[in-house]
Amino acid sequence: MSGSVVCWLNLLLFLQVGAQLRDNIRQQWPVPYRRFDRRPAADSYCEALFPFCPTGDDDGQIPSMSDTDVISVYRLQTPVWEFKYGDLLGKLHIMHDAIGFSSKETGANYTMEWYELFQLGNCTFPQLRPDVFAPFWCNQGAACFFGGIDDTHWSQNGTLEKLGEVTGGQFNDMAQWVQDDNETGIYYETWTVRSDPGPNATAWFESYDCSQFVHRTYRKLSELGAKLSSRSQTNYTKIYLYSGEPSYLGNDSAIFSQPALKNLAMDIRNCVISTS
Ligand SMILES: *[C@@H]1O[C@H](CO)[C@@H](O)[C@H](O)[C@H]1NC(C)=O
Ligand SMILES: *[C@@H]1O[C@H](CO)[C@@H](O)[C@H](O)[C@H]1NC(C)=O
Ligand SMILES: *[C@@H]1O[C@H](CO)[C@@H](O)[C@H](O)[C@H]1NC(C)=O
Ligand SMILES: *[C@@H]1O[C@H](CO)[C@@H](O)[C@H](O)[C@H]1NC(C)=O
Ligand SMILES: *[C@@H]1O[C@H](CO)[C@@H](O)[C@H](O)[C@H]1NC(C)=O
Ligand SMILES: *[C@@H]1O[C@H](CO)[C@@H](O)[C@H](O)[C@H]1NC(C)=O
Ligand SMILES: *[C@@H]1O[C@H](CO)[C@@H](O)[C@H](O)[C@H]1NC(C)=O
């Protein structure tokens, strides 16, 4: 296990496409999550085993609520099942987090979650493609908004808890923010990388996943004036790696196209082979 963890750490440092790690300016920790102007189309090589957001609107539209409506907000959490993600990730007891909404005026309710377009394993580990020298990631993640809350799914082995209410107007402002967030934050990052397991550790990289999205949304709702509170403590799953201070060695194209870095490039490729 430790061999592969060292391997993965190297990969993270070299291939963290979502992060802005720079060599010549003073490094900021954790490395800020990189925002994009807009979401690119995914590479056609990436193929979802489970289609992304099958019952959501094709264009990701979120229905508009009347300003005077009262919208209840729910915390939704449930374990991710092993069969979906293979042995390694299943054993880690990963929890999935989402947010529910219900409209007082129409009685309609909705679920909103943020997850991987091409399954969690592909976001966690890159792959080697026969025709591409650099390891390749299918690691986009995105927000999915769809009608209905499956009460049984969330409450049977997890949590379905009402956190409070917001106005229709606040909901609509949040919906606009979700669209922007979804266009600019496009890569899923499974790992949290820290200097050590202690409470005062430095975080080198933060994860970017479903629970981070839920937290961003709660923050946005409080900024908009909502009062939400939970009766119970929420535990979130994080997968930690521990390492010394990372240093930036080059981007994808630099490492995998320069003959001088061939050994490094081969080490990284061998890492991918040994862990896939
Ligand atoms: C991603 O993962 C799924 C299963 O977890 C697999 O079916 C699919 O082929 C993988 N690869 C790509 C390129 O999407
Ligand atoms: C977020 O982006 C994905 C990928 O483009 C898209 O399928 C989805 O509908 C978008 N979600 C929202 C809420 O805009
Ligand atoms: C959501 O709506 C469905 C269908 O009306 C209902 O069965 C369910 O209890 C509602 N859930 C919540 C949390 O409002
Ligand atoms: C709850 O957990 C049990 C036992 O692990 C499982 O059989 C059942 O399908 C789960 N229920 C839901 C709604 O996921
Ligand atoms: C963590 O930092 C706090 C405040 O600086 C200090 O009181 C505490 O002893 C530190 N804990 C450890 C385990 O280093
Ligand atoms: C969260 O974790 C704490 C400490 O491990 C535990 O005591 C508590 O029961 C957990 N809460 C839930 C809702 O799982
Ligand atoms: C990769 O880094 C090189 C210099 O190290 C730079 O010229 C190039 O634009 C970078 N490529 C990308 C895609 O960022």
Side-chain angles (χ1 to χ4, degrees):
M1 188 62 189
S2 84
S4 68
V5 167
V6 170
C7 245
W8 282 112
L9 195 51
N10 287 338
L11 275 175
L12 263 170
L13 303 187
F14 301 140
L15 300 174
Q16 187 91 359
V17 274
Q20 284 169 315
L21 190 57
R22 294 285 173 267
D23 42 358
N24 43 11
I25 44 176
R26 200 171 171 277
Q27 184 57 54
Q28 187 189 340
W29 304 114
V31 174
Y33 183 78
R34 180 167 164 200
R35 292 273 163 186
F36 291 77
D37 292 338
R38 84 185 108 79
R39 180 185 291 275
D43 192 286
S44 60
Y45 171 78
C46 301
E47 238 181 287
L49 182 60
F50 308 100
F52 180 76
C53 205
T55 61
D57 179 85
D58 284 344
D59 299 317
Q61 294 299 316
I62 296 177
S64 175
M65 304 292 155
S66 96
D67 280 349
T68 52
D69 200 349
V70 175
I71 312 292
S72 301
V73 179
Y74 302 88
R75 175 165 82 89
L76 308 175
Q77 190 172 49
T78 195
V80 166
W81 301 112
E82 182 167 336
F83 72 89
K84 252 180 136 175
Y85 296 119
D87 210 28
L88 172 62
L89 294 169
K91 285 202 181 85
L92 297 171
H93 299 294
I94 293 178
M95 297 296 280
H96 180 64
D97 300 280
I99 307 184
F101 302 96
S102 69
S103 155
K104 193 170 202 169
E105 277 180 20
T106 67
N109 62 30
Y110 306 91
T111 302
M112 182 168 82
E113 51 189 349
W114 197 93
Y115 67 101
E116 331 79 47
L117 260 51
F118 307 104
Q119 281 67 66
L120 184 54
N122 295 330
C123 289
T124 309
F125 305 113
Q127 317 182 11
L128 287 183
R129 291 169 63 168
D131 50 338
V132 182
F133 190 48
F136 188 83
W137 293 92
C138 289
N139 58 351
Q140 283 198 31
C144 173
F145 187 98
F146 59 95
I149 296 177
D150 180 350
D151 291 19
T152 315
H153 172 73
W154 299 104
S155 53
Q156 196 172 345
N157 297 315
T159 308
L160 190 166
E161 181 194 12
K162 182 167 166 176
L163 298 179
E165 293 174 346
V166 301
T167 67
Q170 288 169 332
F171 175 90
N172 294 339
D173 289 344
M174 178 210 72
Q176 181 57 54
W177 169 85
V178 167
Q179 309 281 2
D180 295 345
D181 186 77
N182 193 46
E183 268 307 285
T184 60
I186 58 184
Y187 290 114
Y188 191 105
E189 293 179 9
T190 309
W191 308 97
T192 301
V193 189
R194 304 173 61 122
S195 56
D196 60 80
N200 295 341
T202 306
W204 308 126
F205 296 95
E206 293 291 359
S207 58
Y208 195 86
D209 57 16
C210 58
S211 70
Q212 304 293 315
F213 174 72
V214 165
H215 282 299
R216 280 200 301 290
T217 307
Y218 291 159
R219 260 201 312 276
K220 186 65 197 179
L221 285 169
S222 355
E223 255 173 67
L224 293 169
K227 302 257 176 299
L228 304 176
S229 65
S230 173
R231 274 172 284 113
S232 56
Q233 180 199 343
T234 310
N235 296 331
Y236 294 99
T237 306
K238 286 194 173 261
I239 306 180
Y240 290 105
L241 289 177
Y242 301 107
S243 89
E245 183 168 342
S247 59
Y248 183 66
L249 298 179
N251 62 21
D252 225 61
S253 45
I255 292 173
F256 291 93
S257 64
Q258 287 179 37
L261 295 177
K262 187 144 204 289
N263 288 345
L264 176 61
M266 288 315 291
D267 284 350
I268 295 172
R269 284 176 58 89
N270 288 337
C271 249
V272 177
I273 293 166
S274 72
T275 45
S276 57

